[in-house]
Amino acid sequence: MSTVRRGLIAVISGPSGSGKGTLINRIVKQDANVCYAVSATTREMRYGEAEGVTYYYKSDAEFDQLVATGEILEWDSFCGYKYGTLRSELESKISKGQDVILDLTVPGARAIKKAFPEDCITAFILPPSIEELEKRIRGRQRETEEQLKLRVHEAQREIELYREFDYSVINDDLDTGVDHLWAIIKAERLTYKRNSDVLNRLNLKGAIV
Ligand code: 5GP
């Protein structure tokens, strides 16, 4: 009989400027049983980022090698760079009961949901308005004008896809956004398909095991 609840895979998507990174950081800090799955990318490291914390930074050839060996479970291109989910960041953690948060593009979210239909839930983070979204992207001042335009364009395109997701969280006030994302994770932990070991111990009639 299994005594360890299998970890949840919470896939978070949303356009640049939705504030999903900030929401994820807050959730990871407040619960030791939730960790962030660090992806591989070919984009350059930005100021304030660190190898193995924000991303594993790879050359194109290194990235392609990880895809060829199957270490990258899914990958997508975004604004000219490749981003991919590492098998090592995911499977060992969920089998030990650790909940894992991934920050993915919409095609990445679709791919992980398909690969882990039982473990995965998806949430889309929305900004309070398109004007606010553009203001946030521009306010970060870390990209060139050309990269900014591309990100704003991508954001407007991506935002239309929120209906594909299990949940949506509007990130206007940060504390409320954190509360809502946290509520989703807590509720999902309590579904009975994720607690079959407890139901088994209670020996309930008709329990799903
Ligand atoms: P950024 O350059 O702002 O860190 O990330 C750009 C985009 O890449 C974000 O929308 C983020 O969700 C996405 N992303 C980061 N890692 C992965 C990954 O492993 N797979 C996919 N499909 N998208 C990712």
Side-chain angles (χ1 to χ4, degrees):
M1 181 174 79
S2 162
T3 52
V4 179
R5 173 180 69 84
R6 204 168 146 80
L8 174 73
I9 301 175
V11 173
I12 312 298
S13 294
S16 278
S18 61
K20 63 192 153 111
T22 312
L23 284 182
I24 292 171
N25 283 338
R26 288 269 302 262
I27 300 283
V28 169
K29 276 197 190 126
Q30 73 182 40
D31 188 317
N33 199 50
V34 184
C35 66
Y36 177 64
V38 181
S39 294
T41 185
T42 59
R43 96 149 153 70
E44 69 278 11
M45 192 187 290
R46 289 185 194 132
Y47 179 75
E49 295 187 347
E51 169 73 19
V53 179
T54 28
Y55 285 108
Y56 294 99
Y57 298 87
K58 305 286 175 194
S59 66
D60 260 312
E62 287 168 337
F63 193 96
D64 292 348
Q65 179 66 16
L66 290 171
V67 173
T69 57
E71 173 53 15
I72 285 188
L73 286 169
E74 67 68 41
W75 70 273
D76 196 9
S77 295
F78 184 85
C79 295
Y81 301 104
K82 292 175 186 168
Y83 298 81
T85 304
L86 294 164
R87 186 181 291 278
S88 53
E89 287 283 308
L90 208 54
E91 287 180 344
S92 64
K93 287 175 179 155
I94 60 166
S95 61
K96 286 186 206 132
Q98 180 99 46
D99 296 325
V100 179
I101 298 191
L102 284 88
D103 173 356
L104 305 180
T105 58
V106 174
R110 287 184 194 125
I112 294 294
K113 181 92 175 170
K114 194 167 173 210
F116 298 90
E118 293 299 319
D119 304 307
C120 177
I121 62 115
T122 59
F124 196 83
I125 313 299
L126 288 154
S129 67
I130 298 292
E131 293 72 33
E132 174 66 18
L133 180 83
E134 197 166 332
K135 203 171 112 197
R136 286 182 190 172
I137 297 176
R138 292 193 170 274
R140 294 191 300 211
Q141 294 180 327
R142 60 185 190 195
E143 279 112 343
T144 62
E145 183 56 29
E146 199 185 334
Q147 285 170 331
L148 280 174
K149 276 192 187 140
L150 195 57
R151 279 195 177 242
V152 170
H153 174 78
E154 272 299 312
Q156 286 169 341
R157 195 187 57 82
E158 215 177 5
I159 212 163
E160 305 294 330
L161 302 168
Y162 73 94
R163 283 190 198 83
E164 287 187 33
F165 286 71
D166 299 326
Y167 297 97
S168 52
V169 172
I170 298 176
N171 189 19
D172 186 358
D173 169 65
L174 181 61
D175 287 337
T176 309
V178 172
D179 252 16
H180 289 175
L181 189 55
W182 186 225
I184 292 166
I185 292 172
K186 281 204 292 192
E188 284 288 338
R189 280 177 175 172
L190 296 171
T191 56
Y192 43 68
K193 72 175 182 188
R194 297 203 168 87
N195 290 282
S196 54
D197 56 324
V198 177
L199 294 171
N200 256 336
R201 280 203 296 275
L202 288 175
N203 215 9
L204 294 176
K205 220 171 144 189
I208 300 165
V209 290

